[in-house]
Amino acid sequence: QVQLVESGGGLVQAGGSLRLSCAASGSIFSISRMGWYRQAPGKPRELVAVITTGDNMNYLDSVKGRFTISRDNAKNTVYLQMNSLKPEDTAVYYCNAGVRIATILRDVEVWGQGTLVTVSS
């Protein structure tokens, strides 16, 4: 009923930048929170950044000062601007949202399928 579609991943040299986008679509009543997780091979999935209603933002310590999260509520879209990328940022990045589905008026967690970010040294 609700889908999150990520884009913007790719291959970049260390020190470079990428901008990830995640657009939510479907039977959406409201979205309370949107964020980004990442998972590297053999590592647990970790929260990278999240933005809530009221534009409260939280970041993983290792990306503070380098990544910026933002959202466009009118477009149901969240962005992650990633600067000064490091090889350790290499991972599949997953969009995540807390969504109230219009058809059932219940809050659910929705995940995107992921976009791969590879940072070469």
Side-chain angles (χ1 to χ4, degrees):
Q1 294 177 303
V2 176
Q3 297 82 39
L4 302 178
V5 179
E6 305 102 331
S7 62
L11 175 64
V12 65
Q13 292 284 117
S17 298
L18 287 173
R19 191 189 192 203
L20 306 183
S21 299
C22 172
S25 62
S27 186
I28 300 170
F29 183 82
S30 62
I31 299 176
S32 62
R33 164 188 48 80
M34 300 189 80
W36 294 92
Y37 287 73
R38 69 185 183 187
Q39 188 167 26
K43 301 292 181 66
R45 186 172 296 189
E46 60 185 353
L47 178 65
V48 178
V50 62
I51 184 167
T52 65
T53 55
D55 290 336
N56 183 50
M57 305 170 198
N58 289 290
Y59 295 92
L60 181 68
D61 283 344
S62 62
V63 309
K64 288 180 179 177
R66 299 189 297 121
F67 291 9
T68 303
I69 190 169
S70 61
R71 67 186 294 180
D72 185 335
N73 292 331
K75 297 179 179 179
N76 287 331
T77 299
V78 64
Y79 306 93
L80 186 67
Q81 179 67 47
M82 304 186 294
N83 298 326
S84 302
L85 283 162
K86 304 175 181 179
E88 51 263 45
D89 295 318
T90 296
V92 177
Y93 284 70
Y94 297 92
C95 184
N96 171 263
V99 179
R100 177 160 292 189
I101 298 177
T103 54
I104 60 174
L105 295 177
R106 294 186 182 275
D107 295 333
V108 300
E109 290 284 332
V110 185
W111 291 88
Q113 296 189 69
T115 184
L116 178 63
V117 172
T118 303
V119 184
S120 62
S121 60

